[in-house]
Amino acid sequence: MIAVLAAMLLSGGAVAPSVLPGADPFALADGGRLYIYPTGRGATLDVWSQANGRWHDDATLVRLKDLAWVRADHAPAHYLWAPDMIAANGRWYFYYAVGPQDPTPSRLGVAVCSGPEGPCADSGKPLLTGGKGFEAIDPMVFVDPKDDTRYLYAGGSNGARLRVFTLASDMETIAREIPVDQPPGFTEGVFMHERRGIYYLSYSRGRWDHSDYSIHYATAASPTGPWTYRGVLLASEGRYKGPGHHSFVQDPATGDWLIVYHRWDNKPGDGPYTGERRTVIQKITYLPNGEIAPVHMTDCP
């Protein structure tokens, strides 16, 4: 176990910013607990869980050395990025990206898990392969509460192109691609969530290791648009730089909506930055018209 790094809950149920290691955090709530799946150092993908107001590093879900279909191309280096976990069919499905894009194409993989903390068994093959101006990274799977359609959103920096697919019932096969308009300024790190009939498409814009990295969002009446651009949610301010690659989750203890994102702290200038990014958790506020109030970054308690 990695030692607990931050307490999350303050008196009165208010949520204070919490800081954990890692980047590209995907968050979910299940069984009264919160889970976060971050990008780590590239060789493994792990899960953090929250209990009694504290975070613990609980389990490794996927190991690069176990992925024979990745090793088979004999590329000089591979890394695991940007995981996503979702429940369906009485199981859990763990999606992840394998990069970099060159010299081999980036790819998405999927593992089937017995629970949100694993164990997981990889499918043994890529779900989606990049190329021809498309980088297959940053998977995000969304199940539409209106009709149970399972959508896969993916795409990123190399080409900065968003693509949307529907998944077959097995959650391990792509059924078809759905043409969508490109969101304004899209770079990578897409996330979809729904609240009160509004679909929120949020994403990162800019260069991941520079101060122009930021989170933007658009809304729609369906999971596939057309998008109405709503503006910037998070941008560099003060000593906090390059917030991006985020997820939204509803706190099971309080009902509050949270944004979970990564950022650089105490980096001079506009980049490029090196070193460790940190995952941060903050409360968000929905306005009466359904828009999300801009988030201002603060430190952990």
Side-chain angles (χ1 to χ4, degrees):
M1 292 278 186
I2 294 176
V4 174
L5 297 183
M8 185 175 176
L9 301 180
L10 295 177
S11 61
V15 178
S18 295
V19 178
L20 302 170
D24 310 333
F26 178 82
L28 68 81
D30 180 71
R33 302 184 73 175
L34 286 171
Y35 297 89
I36 292 178
Y37 305 84
T39 295
R41 297 185 179 274
T44 64
L45 291 171
D46 308 305
V47 57
W48 287 79
S49 71
Q50 183 252 24
N52 300 319
R54 297 182 179 275
W55 288 97
H56 303 268
D57 186 5
D58 286 339
T60 295
L61 302 183
V62 173
R63 293 176 175 84
L64 189 60
K65 67 179 183 179
D66 296 334
L67 302 177
W69 63 270
V70 175
R71 300 197 314 271
D73 63 26
H74 304 293
H78 286 299
Y79 304 95
L80 299 174
W81 295 331
D84 174 288
M85 178 72 87
I86 192 166
N89 305 336
R91 297 180 176 182
W92 292 82
Y93 296 86
F94 189 60
Y95 300 85
Y96 57 90
V98 178
Q101 176 83 340
D102 296 313
T104 55
S106 56
R107 286 159 288 179
L108 302 184
V110 57
V112 183
C113 310
S114 60
E117 298 176 81
C120 302
D122 191 70
S123 69
K125 62 184 184 299
L127 173 67
L128 181 67
T129 299
K132 298 181 180 179
F134 171 70
E135 187 173 15
I137 60 170
D138 301 350
M140 197 280 151
V141 176
F142 172 76
V143 178
D144 190 350
K146 290 184 178 179
D147 60 11
D148 201 44
T149 302
R150 289 93 185 268
Y151 294 94
L152 168 68
Y153 301 77
S157 303
N158 194 337
R161 180 181 167 203
L162 173 67
R163 293 173 70 182
V164 181
F165 308 83
T166 56
L167 292 173
S169 59
D170 65 2
M171 301 292 287
E172 301 176 59
T173 308
I174 290 175
R176 67 185 182 95
E177 183 168 2
I178 300 176
V180 295
D181 294 334
Q182 294 300 296
F186 172 79
T187 299
E188 60 188 11
V190 69
F191 191 84
M192 168 61 70
H193 76 285
E194 181 271 343
R195 177 181 178 271
R196 298 182 180 179
I198 300 174
Y199 293 85
Y200 296 82
L201 182 86
S202 46
Y203 51 92
S204 297
R205 177 178 182 175
R207 297 162 293 176
W208 70 273
D209 57 352
H210 285 70
S211 64
D212 63 351
Y213 205 55
S214 52
I215 298 173
H216 299 239
Y217 83 109
T219 59
S222 83
T224 56
W227 318 117
T228 299
Y229 179 67
R230 299 298 184 183
V232 182
L233 274 179
L234 270 163
S236 293
E237 52 184 329
R239 64 189 185 89
Y240 309 119
K241 303 293 180 67
H245 203 128
H246 65 293
S247 55
F248 292 93
V249 67
Q250 195 167 15
D251 188 332
T254 65
D256 293 326
W257 279 90
L258 311 173
I259 186 169
V260 185
Y261 64 96
H262 73 238
R263 72 187 185 200
W264 305 87
D265 288 0
N266 300 314
K267 297 292 184 181
D270 292 325
Y273 307 126
T274 59
E276 298 292 331
R277 290 166 291 175
R278 302 201 295 174
T279 285
V280 183
I281 306 163
Q282 288 189 241
K283 182 180 175 180
I284 64 168
T285 300
Y286 291 93
L287 302 176
N289 64 0
E291 295 183 22
I292 306 172
V295 179
H296 294 286
M297 293 183 286
T298 58
D299 209 347
C300 62

